[in-house]
Amino acid sequence: MHLLNLGILAHVDAGKTSLTERLLHSAGVIDEIGRVDDGNTRTDTLALERQRGITIKSAVVSFPLDGVTVNLIDTPGHPDFIAEVERVLGVLDGVVLVISAVEGVQAQTRVLMRTLQRLRIPTLLFVNKIDRSGARHEAVLREISARLTPAIVPMGAATGLGTRAARFVPGPGPAGALDVLTGHDDALLSAYVENTVTDELLHRSLAAQTREALVHPVYFGSAATGAGVEALLSGIETLLPVADGDADGPLSATVFKVDRGPAGEKVAYARMFSGTLRTRDRIPFGTDGAEGRITGISVFGDGTDIREESVAAGRIARLTGLGDIRIGDAIGEPRTAYEHFFAPPTLETVVVPGPDVDRGALHLALTQLAEQDPLIGLRRDERRKETSVSLYGEVQKEVIQATLDEEYGLDVTFRETTPLCVERLVGTGQAVEFNKKDPNPFLATVGLRVEPAPVGSGVGFRLEVELGSMPYAFFKAVEDTVRETLDQGLHGWQVTDCVVTMTHSGYSPRQSHAHQGFDKSMSSTGADFRGVTPLVLLEALRRAGTRVHEPMHRFRVEAPADTLGALLPVLARLAAVPETTRNRDDLCVLEGTVPAARVHALQQVLPGLTRGEGELESSFAHYAPVTHGTIPERPRTDHNPLNRKEYLLNVTRRVGG
């Protein structure tokens, strides 16, 4: 039987989880449809998801169609949990993007569609809620064409809009979209010119172009009443591509989710792209050469997971036994480098434990949460005994707080959310410390030069000394320490987009006394190079100078034209810079940039300024120099190489007096 790994994506509250329930019911997997409001849906299994009525973690459930077994992956719609969506995209064969017939195309819909198009993932559009008051048909199609993509093929029309009797009537489908289809199909264009177009030719062209993500069929319906769902199921079966992969080929899989079982053991969700995996197989995974033995395999079928002895290419499996597995790890041969499709978190907050909370237990709980969501970056400050977490938004902070309370029994609060800045070099700087010369207490010579590099290039490390001038392990110690030290620049933020060149090197060869072992007091070790490198690098940074850059979002506000006068002064107070303003009917559309730290405030004030009609879309754009207020400083968590005396007292035992 063919397999299809299908994602359900949407803006929050478009009805994505309700559609998942309806699809499972229509396929005969469940007898009764769960409701988000009642907290009894199949895929929202977390207590917090049921309480809040939103999807927080992706979930997998399987159902059969006539000739295809569908692994359905329900994903979060709230932008604060975009990282959960990101990990799923790399394992999908196709997507159903859900749009509300009432609200139409929303901010997150546009973000998702842009990404799906960039990745060329075949996508069907399902316009949900045609039974709701205010539901629209032609207007939503125009919105989709104008704001998502003009390459759409309406597969029918909705009737009885806004009533429980609303229905989806299939047709004319491809016959009404010749202009769209002939744009990518020369054979169809020739048949059209020769007046020999047939329904079979149209449907064959539609299926081929949908599978190549060139066009997007559009269905209307209602997850609540079931209208249009049978037509959507038919489209899923006949228009989307099935999973491919050679079961006899080399083992290759990707982990897109990590959970914990009842006994606390790690459970990895992996998409098999090639080969066959069996229980008790010993397999390589990750990028650091780790190995593990598979102790259990479960696959998805008929709405549940089933224990199996093996899993082959094309399927999704739950794997146990890989204790050090992480999200994004490749199992066996890497298929492609794991890449980020969405911007990283741009906010940060410090977790404040309650009066009776054990800090060790809190750190362990946060570490486990970060395993399940690698974009929850943890930053441990041992001196202050504090842990910071990176965030996409305030809702994510509330969810972390509730999860720690309900799953771990830990009562925490948070400090004010702050932007996650970076530092970039202003100029070029260099410094050197010589072996056996005061004031260097380390048996190592290290010279470094730092220079700015193009934005987005990250950190480069180069050698200007002979590789054979000292043991390779010492060069490796310097490079690793450079990259680690750049996590905290002159103001405490990560230094990026620079090149670090090693200009000087030297060491003391291995020394030993007669009939005695290795003498560390006379011979260089890796610890010497790891110890001196931060001092040299921070001095080079000090001479070059760094500037703090804050994350900026590109925003798009759509609001009634008569509210523009009230909106502009507030945007100015929030340091937002409108760059373009245009009118569309009785609406005004403003686009520009705003500091990431002010996006939440803009979200809060927008409804009051626009009579509840304003719509905000924002996404990370770039980092820009901080130009307002004081330069933000981030407390250091290292031994502070900016203070030489303090650093040496903490790091080395060779300091005398």
Side-chain angles (χ1 to χ4, degrees):
M1 179 174 277
H2 295 303
L3 292 164
L4 168 62
N5 296 299
L6 178 71
I8 304 287
L9 276 60
H11 186 101
V12 67
D13 290 334
K16 173 179 44 60
T17 299
S18 298
L19 177 61
T20 300
E21 290 289 307
R22 176 61 69 174
L23 292 173
L24 294 176
H25 182 265
S26 297
V29 171
I30 56 177
D31 297 325
E32 186 176 344
I33 296 175
R35 296 182 70 247
V36 173
D37 292 342
D38 295 339
N40 60 353
T41 58
R42 177 61 64 97
T43 52
D44 284 348
T45 56
L46 299 178
L48 195 57
E49 292 178 314
R50 296 179 184 275
Q51 291 168 15
R52 286 178 164 263
I54 61 172
T55 301
I56 297 169
K57 295 290 183 183
S58 58
V60 184
V61 65
S62 181
F63 66 87
L65 287 177
D66 289 342
V68 182
T69 294
V70 179
N71 287 325
L72 188 65
I73 306 179
D74 186 17
T75 62
H78 196 286
D80 280 14
F81 307 107
I82 195 70
E84 195 74 22
V85 179
E86 174 178 273
R87 294 189 290 273
V88 169
L89 291 179
V91 304
L92 297 178
D93 302 306
V95 163
V96 173
L97 181 62
V98 185
I99 301 167
S100 168
V102 180
E103 288 83 10
V105 174
Q106 296 174 279
Q108 186 74 348
T109 321
R110 285 163 55 86
V111 172
L112 293 170
M113 189 64 181
R114 281 199 299 265
T115 307
L116 292 170
Q117 289 178 306
R118 189 169 79 248
L119 299 176
R120 299 291 298 275
I121 298 177
T123 302
L124 308 182
L125 305 180
F126 183 75
V127 182
N128 190 25
K129 302 185 179 181
I130 63 171
D131 58 318
R132 296 285 184 88
S133 176
R136 301 164 297 146
H137 180 266
E138 292 298 330
V140 172
L141 283 176
R142 286 195 298 272
E143 277 187 40
I144 292 171
S145 182
R147 302 185 63 187
L148 295 183
T149 172
I152 58 174
V153 179
M155 301 299 289
T159 63
L161 290 171
T163 71
R164 294 289 291 181
R167 292 289 178 268
F168 176 70
V169 181
L178 269 171
D179 287 348
V180 173
L181 294 175
T182 54
H184 300 286
D185 189 333
D186 291 341
L188 181 62
L189 179 60
S190 298
Y192 174 67
V193 171
E194 297 166 5
N195 199 26
T196 58
V197 174
T198 63
D199 286 344
E200 181 185 355
L201 184 61
L202 281 168
H203 283 279
R204 193 162 62 239
S205 179
L206 174 65
Q209 294 190 46
T210 301
R211 289 167 187 161
E212 293 178 19
L214 296 173
V215 301
H216 307 284
V218 182
Y219 299 85
F220 282 73
S222 168
T225 67
V229 171
E230 288 300 327
L232 176 63
L233 282 169
S234 176
I236 290 171
E237 182 181 0
T238 60
L239 299 178
L240 292 178
V242 295
D244 58 4
D246 181 5
D248 298 320
L251 177 64
S252 178
T254 299
V255 175
F256 65 92
K257 177 178 177 177
V258 172
D259 222 335
R260 288 196 175 262
E265 73 279 14
K266 274 191 182 180
V267 180
Y269 289 67
R271 159 74 191 268
M272 297 288 297
F273 289 102
S274 175
T276 299
L277 190 58
R278 298 172 179 84
T279 306
R280 293 178 293 280
D281 278 357
R282 188 162 190 84
I283 57 167
F285 62 87
T287 57
D288 53 4
E291 282 195 348
R293 188 182 300 280
I294 300 296
T295 59
I297 297 174
S298 297
V299 298
F300 297 91
D302 294 331
T304 186
D305 55 312
I306 306 160
R307 195 83 171 182
E308 295 280 1
E309 285 299 307
S310 65
V311 59
R315 306 204 74 167
I316 289 176
R318 298 172 79 245
L319 308 175
T320 54
L322 307 177
D324 296 324
I325 198 79
R326 296 171 297 182
I327 290 171
D329 277 352
I331 294 175
E333 293 187 5
R335 178 170 171 262
T336 57
Y338 185 69
E339 59 179 312
H340 291 303
F341 308 129
F342 302 106
T346 55
L347 302 172
E348 179 178 66
T349 185
V350 174
V351 184
V352 181
D356 300 321
V357 171
D358 178 81
R359 292 177 182 268
L362 174 59
H363 183 65
L364 177 62
L366 287 169
T367 301
Q368 291 186 357
L369 290 183
E371 287 174 356
Q372 299 169 29
D373 187 348
L375 291 186
I376 297 180
L378 295 185
R379 185 174 184 267
R380 179 72 172 165
D381 186 338
E382 293 294 346
R383 292 191 297 172
R384 298 173 182 81
K385 303 299 180 186
E386 293 178 347
T387 301
S388 302
V389 296
S390 55
L391 303 164
Y392 277 98
E394 296 298 316
V395 172
Q396 189 181 12
K397 184 162 69 173
E398 295 169 16
V399 167
I400 293 172
Q401 183 180 33
T403 302
L404 289 172
D405 181 30
E406 294 170 11
E407 296 188 15
Y408 297 92
L410 301 173
D411 175 33
V412 303
T413 56
F414 298 92
R415 291 196 193 143
E416 182 182 0
T417 302
T418 56
L420 204 49
C421 300
V422 299
E423 293 181 46
R424 290 198 173 111
L425 294 175
V426 175
T428 298
Q430 58 185 23
V432 62
E433 296 267 354
F434 291 99
N435 182 13
K436 297 180 180 178
K437 286 191 178 180
D438 287 339
N440 179 13
F442 300 101
L443 294 180
T445 294
V446 172
L448 298 171
R449 182 174 67 248
V450 295
E451 302 166 275
V455 171
S457 61
V459 175
F461 183 80
R462 299 172 184 169
L463 295 179
E464 218 172 66
V465 294
E466 291 292 332
L467 188 58
S469 61
M470 64 181 187
Y472 173 75
F474 294 160
F475 286 112
K476 183 74 168 112
V478 172
E479 180 177 358
D480 289 348
T481 306
V482 162
R483 295 186 183 280
E484 180 182 337
T485 304
L486 288 175
D487 282 342
Q488 301 181 72
L490 302 181
H491 300 277
W493 304 103
Q494 181 182 27
V495 181
T496 187
D497 300 331
C498 64
V499 174
V500 181
T501 303
M502 190 169 182
T503 58
H504 297 74
S505 66
Y507 75 110
S508 295
R510 184 183 181 93
Q511 302 285 333
S512 59
H513 300 291
H515 311 299
Q516 294 182 11
F518 171 49
D519 188 348
K520 287 186 179 180
S521 67
M522 302 169 61
S523 314
S524 297
T525 67
D528 287 296
F529 287 89
R530 288 190 294 271
V532 74
T533 296
L535 289 172
V536 177
L537 182 57
L538 265 295
E539 181 58 31
L541 287 177
R542 198 194 319 252
R543 294 174 181 178
T546 67
R547 181 174 295 141
V548 176
H549 289 62
E550 64 180 333
M552 302 293 291
H553 278 222
R554 174 154 292 282
F555 74 86
R556 181 182 187 276
V557 171
E558 192 172 290
D562 61 356
T563 65
L564 185 60
L567 196 54
L568 288 174
V570 174
L571 290 173
R573 283 201 302 273
L574 295 175
V577 180
E579 296 171 356
T580 62
T581 305
R582 65 181 187 276
N583 291 324
R584 196 181 71 221
D585 300 327
D586 56 349
L587 295 174
C588 68
V589 180
L590 288 84
E591 294 184 349
T593 57
V594 60
R598 309 293 179 87
V599 171
H600 183 62
L602 181 55
Q603 290 170 334
Q604 289 181 311
V605 301
L606 187 63
L609 294 171
T610 60
R611 302 188 296 273
E613 299 177 45
E615 179 183 311
L616 171 66
E617 176 185 338
S618 77
S619 60
F620 172 77
H622 59 270
Y623 288 93
V626 175
T627 57
H628 52 275
T630 57
I631 301 298
E633 300 280 338
R634 194 188 199 195
R636 303 193 72 86
T637 62
D638 57 10
H639 293 300
N640 192 15
L642 287 170
N643 183 323
R644 187 183 187 91
K645 183 176 181 181
E646 176 186 340
Y647 177 81
L648 292 177
L649 286 173
N650 281 312
V651 171
T652 180
R653 296 177 181 176
R654 290 198 175 109
V655 179

